[in-house]
Amino acid sequence: MDIRSLDGDDPATIALLLPGFQETMSLELPGDPPVSQALLARLLQRRHGADRIVLAAFDGDRPAGCTKLGLDLGVPNGPGHGSLWVFPSCRRRGAGTALVDAARAELRTRGRDRLMVDAPRTPAAEAFAATCGAELHGTNLRNRLFLKGPARAGVDELADRAVPGHRLVHWSDRCPDALVGLYARAWGALDVPVNGQAEVRAPTSADVRSREAEAARAGHRQYVTAAVDTATGEIAGYATLFVRDSPMADAGETLVLTDRRRQGMGTWIKAGLIARTAVENPHLALVQAWNDVRNDAVLALNRRLGFVADSSWSTYSVKA
């Protein structure tokens, strides 16, 4: 296998890897809509505060699989965290092992000591991880909410359950100038790590604008709903959702400030966001959300909204 380094922000990379990625996801997640260019572009692009490694294994001129890793620029010796895919028609030819070896070597050259990879929780993935000497680091659930069935009525009902002393503010793509500083301050309270993305560190208005531009470059519209304290104007919590050229949208962050929790704030915000986004995008059929199995609060929130878990994905860790 020939390993090549690719630019995840180059449209040519997306076009090259898309057929294999579509083949892979149709096998791993057969109930999902077909993978679009926008989804793959979002997965491979550099994210705010992070660098990106994209390596592809080639069998001749044909890509056999790829791995993408995010590197937090604020932690120079931190792990590379991402995903690895071997395309179904190219499996059992050594592509996976070649990609792991190449990723570990690349991380070592950058002074990073650990490789972390997410994969579907299957016997095959567990056996491959053991062969590579990797250990289970954590598990995430994929949850889905169908917008065309009875769950939609429940979302609309929860969106009407306002928290006294607060109002919901909605926007898409660009945060209003009057709120951007307050939004950055609320974002700074986020303490949940995200696969391959940088840790949040005192973000500014410029950081908010950078993230907005990032989503747009990958063909995504970012929808945001925030709860604003009517007395102080402070943002008490917010939730994000990403819409692309697909019937499926991706849930992003849901945050409620510590002193505003246990009032139904998160449920109200996220329900309001989903209800509004569904009205403005009638092509949407479902929303997917990824959650750590240890995050009891967010898992409970999603269950209240009608999300149902349909698969588990493991994070494996191995020394670079």
Side-chain angles (χ1 to χ4, degrees):
M1 288 287 171
D2 175 31
I3 303 297
R4 304 177 194 174
S5 178
L6 303 177
D7 181 357
D9 290 299
D10 185 348
T13 296
I14 308 307
L16 179 67
L17 298 178
L18 184 61
F21 197 79
Q22 289 174 326
E23 180 190 12
T24 304
M25 291 299 104
S26 67
L27 177 66
E28 303 292 354
L29 299 171
D32 280 10
V35 173
S36 66
Q37 287 188 344
L39 172 56
L40 187 55
R42 182 72 169 156
L43 288 172
L44 299 186
Q45 73 174 168
R46 289 177 177 83
R47 296 296 186 91
H48 178 79
D51 199 1
R52 178 72 87 210
I53 295 172
V54 178
L55 302 173
F58 282 80
D59 185 2
D61 291 331
R62 179 187 182 189
C66 66
T67 185
K68 60 97 176 174
L69 301 172
L71 312 178
D72 187 340
L73 295 174
V75 186
N77 62 345
H81 189 175
S83 305
L84 184 152
W85 305 278
V86 177
F87 304 149
S89 59
C90 300
R91 292 179 178 174
R92 303 190 183 280
R93 301 183 192 176
T97 300
L99 284 166
V100 169
D101 290 345
R104 294 168 78 175
E106 180 66 25
L107 290 173
R108 289 195 299 270
T109 66
R110 298 181 183 224
R112 295 177 180 266
D113 62 0
R114 188 149 295 275
L115 169 65
M116 298 174 66
V117 172
D118 298 333
R121 192 169 189 178
T122 64
E126 291 172 356
F128 179 69
T131 299
C132 296
E135 298 179 348
L136 181 65
H137 180 78
T139 303
N140 285 276
L141 289 178
R142 190 181 83 135
N143 303 279
R144 298 197 300 174
L145 171 67
F146 289 88
L147 299 174
K148 304 298 185 182
R152 173 63 188 280
V155 169
D156 292 340
E157 179 183 344
L158 291 169
D160 291 333
R161 296 183 182 180
V163 175
H166 298 81
R167 61 186 177 90
L168 293 184
V169 178
H170 308 280
W171 67 85
S172 56
D173 297 329
R174 182 178 175 85
C175 177
D177 290 341
L179 286 176
V180 67
L182 296 168
Y183 181 45
R185 187 186 308 165
W187 176 25
L190 188 70
D191 59 359
V192 178
V194 181
N195 170 351
Q197 297 186 34
E199 179 185 338
V200 178
R201 301 179 182 89
T204 66
S205 298
D207 294 317
V208 172
R209 297 302 183 214
S210 177
R211 268 214 318 182
E212 292 168 344
E214 174 187 287
R217 284 196 305 274
H220 284 63
R221 295 201 68 189
Q222 179 180 217
Y223 285 80
V224 185
T225 294
V228 176
D229 187 308
T230 54
T232 67
E234 177 187 29
I235 290 181
Y238 70 88
T240 61
L241 191 67
F242 295 89
V243 176
R244 57 182 172 271
D245 57 344
S246 168
M248 183 169 67
D250 293 326
E253 304 156 1
T254 300
L255 168 77
V256 176
L257 298 182
T258 303
D259 63 348
R260 309 300 177 97
R261 294 175 183 173
R262 302 189 182 281
Q263 304 178 51
M265 181 85 71
T267 302
W268 178 44
I269 294 171
K270 194 165 185 176
L273 171 65
I274 293 171
R276 172 220 173 199
T277 305
V279 168
E280 294 189 13
N281 297 272
H283 72 284
L284 287 181
L286 70 158
V287 177
Q288 70 169 351
W290 298 87
N291 306 113
D292 190 309
V293 295
R294 297 165 295 188
N295 194 334
D296 294 333
V298 172
L299 290 172
L301 184 158
N302 283 335
R303 284 196 296 269
R304 285 194 294 274
L305 290 168
F307 281 87
V308 176
D310 76 335
S311 59
S312 297
W313 289 60
S314 299
T315 299
Y316 297 99
S317 175
V318 64
K319 184 175 176 58

